[in-house]
Amino acid sequence: MKILDVFELAIPEVKVIRFARFPDNRGYFSEQYRFSDFETGDAVPFMRGVRFLQANESYSRAGTVRGLHFQWNPYMGKLVRTIRGHMIDVALDVRKGSPTYGKIVAHDMPVQGDEAYAEWIWLPPGFAHGFQTLTDDVELLYCHSAPFNAAFEAGLNAADPRLGIDWPLPITEISARDSRHPMLNEQFAGVQL
């Protein structure tokens, strides 16, 4: 995997990993993941020791919001990327005692077929994760550092205006499960992007 750049977002533990795609007249080729780059490479030392135990894929239509989900026991980190389409990825720090506790970051993740790079976003354990799809036919790939455990998974309602998320589109699709997540409690009030 040819890692081109790694940069942190406003919450330093949330990272974007940009890697090379090799386009030609047929389309493109990319090596999306190589264990040795993540385990021993100098470009992503924050990934050392992270093992991906589950991979999920989602497909969504424009305006869909999924999340904000987080898990403990076991704690789960996520490596997420857009395979097709355009989405905005959102992370909310739910780590008690963290200097960025209650803060949100967002990252725009469009994909075009002719770009010379693609991106992963790394959300370490302790972050609630969600996204909104901005185009139809959006496909995402998620790699998880822990298997899903429904007994220790929770979420916050992404439509809660107190989160301060300025979703680019009206929320047209949200699952019944996600709409039942609780609204933000007072300790997160006033969170802004």
Side-chain angles (χ1 to χ4, degrees):
M1 175 176 182
K2 183 176 180 182
I3 297 173
L4 301 173
D5 192 17
V6 176
F7 56 93
E8 60 191 40
L9 297 181
I11 298 175
E13 294 85 355
V14 179
K15 312 273 192 202
V16 176
I17 303 164
R18 187 170 284 173
F19 62 96
R21 294 194 325 182
F22 303 96
D24 63 24
N25 61 324
R26 301 166 295 171
Y28 71 87
F29 170 83
S30 73
E31 184 178 273
Q32 302 178 48
Y33 174 80
R34 182 189 295 219
F35 174 77
S36 62
D37 289 340
F38 284 77
E39 185 60 25
T40 61
D42 292 334
V44 288
F46 54 91
M47 298 294 298
R48 289 194 182 117
V50 174
R51 302 284 187 270
F52 296 110
L53 303 179
Q54 181 174 326
N56 297 341
E57 180 180 317
S58 71
Y59 169 86
S60 304
R61 292 172 183 79
T64 297
V65 168
R66 294 182 190 257
L68 302 165
H69 306 134
F70 59 98
Q71 177 178 300
W72 68 99
N73 192 21
Y75 289 100
M76 178 188 286
K78 296 179 181 179
L79 192 63
V80 181
R81 84 180 203 87
T82 311
I83 298 171
R84 179 171 64 165
H86 187 179
M87 68 103 167
I88 299 289
D89 202 75
V90 175
L92 167 66
D93 189 349
V94 295
R95 301 170 300 164
K96 291 199 177 190
S98 164
T100 55
Y101 179 71
K103 301 293 183 201
I104 292 177
V105 293
H107 185 64
D108 189 16
M109 297 186 72
V111 169
Q112 305 291 325
D114 58 352
E115 293 169 324
Y117 67 88
E119 293 178 341
W120 287 105
I121 187 167
W122 168 241
L123 303 124
F127 284 83
H129 173 251
F131 64 87
Q132 184 178 50
T133 55
L134 306 184
T135 58
D136 280 328
D137 302 326
V138 175
E139 293 180 39
L140 299 185
L141 176 64
Y142 318 68
C143 296
H144 300 263
S145 65
F148 175 69
N149 185 343
F152 294 97
E153 191 253 0
L156 293 165
N157 192 314
D160 187 337
R162 291 178 296 166
L163 280 171
I165 301 173
D166 185 16
W167 295 110
L169 298 176
I171 298 173
T172 57
E173 298 290 336
I174 190 166
S175 72
R177 176 179 152 250
D178 284 355
S179 66
R180 286 191 303 269
H181 283 315
M183 293 294 199
L184 196 62
N185 62 32
E186 291 306 314
Q187 63 189 337
F188 282 112
V191 171
Q192 298 296 315
L193 277 175

